[in-house]
Every structure is written in structure tokens, then in C-alpha cells.
Amino acid sequence: MKQLGRLDDLPEAYRQALTAQNLVPLWPSLRSVLPPTKPVRRTRPTHWSYAGLRPLLLQAGELTPIEKAERRVLVLANPGHGLEKMQASSSIYLGMQLLLPGEWAPAHKHTPNAVRMIVEGDGAYTTVDGEKCPMSRGDLILTPTGLWHEHGHDGTVPVVWLDVLDLPLVYYMEASYVTEGEAQMVSAEATERAYQRGGVVPSPIFARADKRFPMLRYPWVEVRAALLALDVAQPGIEAVQVAYVNPETGADCQAILGYSALMLRPGETLLLPARSPAMVFHQIEGSSEVSVDDSVFTLAEADTCCAPGYVPITLKNRSTESPAFVFIADESPLHKKLGVYEVRG
Ligand code: 1HN
């Protein structure tokens, strides 16, 4: 590839004349914005240990009352982006949130989309768009763009969940803002009753649901059962994986980030080809080994890690006796919609 002219090849007076008119020569920077073959990726393979962060999160519960935090979260920040950017990847934000018994995180709605993957505890709930969604370990609860949501806790033990948002992208778009509100009236309990079984959806005569986000809670008991059943039904399948979709359309449940659950069979090693979107792995049950470039992470239960795009990834179940269950978030809906999605090799 041809060497291009550098900035300091240009006379100082010329550079100053450009700057004075808010002009920049492209050629000294062309190779850095368009590198050959592979993009520049700030996203570094990074591992966050739950055993490591949990005491610090509980300590935040002592140090900062919920009224002073609104959302009591430790952000899982990727050092490749700079910790202050609060990004796991270019488009993914991750945080571990703590809600203590009796606490209340007030209602708001915002433009970024969020999901919650429940990590531990019982008795808390999120009310989304008037629907009260109980939180149990492994459940996925959507709080999509523009929908009111608030968190409450009637139980007796701390509840922790993983928040995944497309905040970095929406913020970069200069489209991220919040609206504060009053406590919602609960209009429905446990949304998932309406969409309880795959293949059938509620069908009031001549009027199908017109909600953009008809299903807000995906209980882990159902997802886990679906994975086990898939393995039995298709023992030869390459990856025992299910996607969280909109049950009315079959499309990804949110527009920007994609969510799925994967079961690694006992002793299984799964090779994921290099794909353009960055990925996040969160261990729901069991233990896995995740290899990305030169990094090898051991994911214990409730651990989380991320990988940049354009690298192959190897996932291995560390047990030869029992399955391992992994929650996956990635940027593939975004890449596909924008036409930049790639699979290599
Ligand atoms: C948010 O609304 C929540 O509602 C959690 O629990 C984390 C991080 C950034 C922006 C909004 C929540 C968030 C957030």
C-alpha cells in the first residue's frame, strides 16, 4: 500500500491557514480511518469476575443510598476505550446493578434500549410500560427505547442484575436523553403469560398485537428448557443456541443489539468464526473457557467478558459432566441493518 504524505510534510503557514478555516487535509489520516483488511478496534478482550466485583457492588450499597444513585451500578468498562467512556465495545454498555430490599429506583424512560439479565437474588421486580416483571436468576427483561421503567424490591436479599444497553451508540448519535416520571400504575402482571409457548401468539379476532415490544420478560426456566429440548431434538446441531426474538415478527427483540442463550454440551468446544460485531458473554450456569486472540478467560458463574469483532472465538465447556449456559449479547442487528455485517472463514 502506497505511503501517503504526512502532516509535517506541509508548510506550517499552510497548516495554520487550513486550521483557521476549520479545514483538515485527508491524506495524512486516510490510512488510520481506512486501514487495510481489518478495522482498528479499541475493544479489548476483557473479563469481569463476579466474585471480584460483588463485594465492591455490595459496598456501594453501604456507601451510596439509592436516592443518591437513582441506579446503583458499577459499569463494566473496557480499558481499550478508556474507563471513563463506560463502554464494553463501540456500541455496548454493561453494568452490574444492585437493589436492596425495600429500595425503589424511580420511573424514567430514555432513548437507549436496555435489557436486564438477572444474576442473583429474588423478590425484586421491574415495571415496564405498566407491566410488572418479577426478576429471577437468568430471566431476561427488556426495557426498550421510550418505555417507562422502574425497579422495586419486596424481598429480603440483595438483588443484582446485568444491564446491557446500546447507550454508547445512541450517545455517539447525540440522541441519548432521559425523561423522569411518576410511579407507574401496574396494569398487568407477568407479561410472559401472553406469550408462553413458541409457535402460538395471542390472537384477538381481527386484531393482532400492534405493540413494538409485545414480550418484555423471557423467563430463564423457559429458555433453559428450550435449549435442553433443542439438543434432544437435533443432537447433530452445531450450536445449541436460541435467540430472544419478538414473538409477533420473529425479528430480533431489539433493533440495535442482539441477544441469545447458548448451551455448551458437557465437554463441548465451539468455534465461532470471525464476525464483524463485538460480542459479550455472561455465564448463567456452569463454567466456560473463552479464547479470543491471545486472551483465555475462565468464566465462572455470573462472570462476564467481551470480545471485539473480526476475531474468531472459541468457547469451551469446562465440565465434562454437565452443560454450561451462556447469555450472549452482540451488535449483529446493528451491523446487519447498516449493511456492514461480515462473517469470515
Ligand atoms: C438505566 O436506565 C438503568 O433503568 C440502568 O436500571 C443503567 C445506564 C445508563 C443509562 C440508563 C435502569 C443505565 C440506565
Side-chain angles (χ1 to χ4, degrees):
M1 197 169 255
K2 208 180 287 168
Q3 187 74 35
L4 301 177
R6 294 173 319 179
L7 200 56
D8 55 14
D9 296 337
L10 299 169
E12 176 64 23
Y14 177 72
R15 282 155 56 182
Q16 281 178 12
L18 291 179
T19 305
Q21 295 194 50
N22 298 320
L23 298 170
V24 176
L26 171 62
W27 58 96
S29 305
L30 185 60
R31 297 284 186 251
S32 68
V33 292
L34 273 184
T37 327
K38 251 190 208 178
V40 175
R41 284 140 307 146
R42 285 191 219 294
T43 303
R44 256 186 236 161
T46 306
H47 172 231
W48 295 272
S49 145
Y50 190 62
L53 73 82
R54 187 178 185 275
L56 296 171
L57 188 56
L58 292 174
Q59 211 179 337
E62 292 161 18
L63 295 169
T64 307
I66 192 70
E67 296 75 22
K68 288 281 178 196
E70 226 162 89
R71 300 295 192 261
R72 193 190 290 108
V73 177
L74 294 181
V75 178
L76 279 47
N78 193 305
H81 288 270
L83 298 184
E84 73 289 352
K85 291 282 172 51
M86 302 197 297
Q87 292 179 231
S89 74
S90 71
S91 305
I92 304 177
Y93 158 103
L94 298 174
M96 281 286 180
Q97 183 162 171
L98 169 69
L99 198 66
L100 295 171
E103 287 186 335
W104 179 253
H108 69 192
K109 59 180 183 178
H110 40 68
T111 43
N113 294 276
V115 304
R116 341 236 155 250
M117 165 53 52
I118 316 309
V119 176
E120 76 166 74
D122 251 313
Y125 57 90
T126 296
T127 304
V128 188
D129 195 25
E131 294 181 4
K132 190 169 173 178
C133 302
M135 294 171 153
S136 297
R137 185 162 167 271
D139 291 352
L140 186 76
I141 299 173
L142 310 190
T143 53
T145 180
L147 297 194
W148 291 107
H149 56 282
E150 63 202 88
H151 315 305
H153 194 338
D154 296 334
T156 55
V157 291
V159 168
V160 177
W161 63 83
L162 175 70
D163 290 312
V164 187
L165 283 85
D166 49 24
L167 176 66
L169 177 75
V170 179
Y171 181 77
Y172 174 76
M173 291 162 64
E174 301 187 346
S176 176
Y177 71 95
V178 71
T179 309
E180 296 190 338
E182 303 294 319
Q184 299 166 78
M185 300 287 288
V186 172
S187 58
E189 302 262 344
T191 328
E192 81 280 4
R193 296 303 99 194
Y195 292 89
Q196 196 174 5
R197 294 279 180 261
V200 286
V201 299
S203 185
I205 299 173
F206 302 129
R208 292 288 295 279
D210 58 358
K211 285 187 169 177
R212 236 177 113 195
F213 304 100
M215 185 163 169
L216 296 172
R217 178 170 178 258
Y218 298 75
W220 176 237
V221 284
E222 308 279 348
V223 177
R224 193 180 192 282
L227 287 165
L228 290 167
L230 176 59
D231 181 35
V232 172
Q234 297 188 32
I237 200 171
E238 197 187 344
V240 185
Q241 187 174 19
V242 293
Y244 294 89
V245 300
N246 175 330
E248 289 283 352
T249 64
D252 295 309
C253 66
Q254 289 189 348
I256 297 176
L257 301 182
Y259 301 100
S260 61
L262 172 74
M263 182 178 104
L264 294 169
R265 291 166 279 217
E268 185 177 13
T269 298
L270 185 66
L271 269 102
L272 307 180
R275 293 192 181 96
S276 54
M279 301 184 86
V280 166
F281 303 95
H282 172 81
Q283 192 76 35
I284 300 180
E285 276 183 50
S287 177
S288 309
E289 191 179 273
V290 181
S291 308
V292 190
D293 278 338
D294 300 332
S295 306
V296 182
F297 302 131
T298 299
L299 293 192
E301 233 169 73
D303 282 6
T304 307
C305 73
C306 75
Y310 299 90
V311 284
I313 299 168
T314 306
L315 302 172
K316 186 176 159 211
N317 183 349
R318 297 183 68 237
S319 166
T320 51
E321 319 268 286
S322 38
F325 295 93
V326 180
F327 171 64
I328 301 176
D330 76 12
E331 300 166 337
S332 56
L334 174 67
H335 280 225
K336 286 177 180 168
K337 286 190 176 80
L338 298 184
V340 298
Y341 183 79
E342 269 184 61
V343 184
R344 295 186 176 181

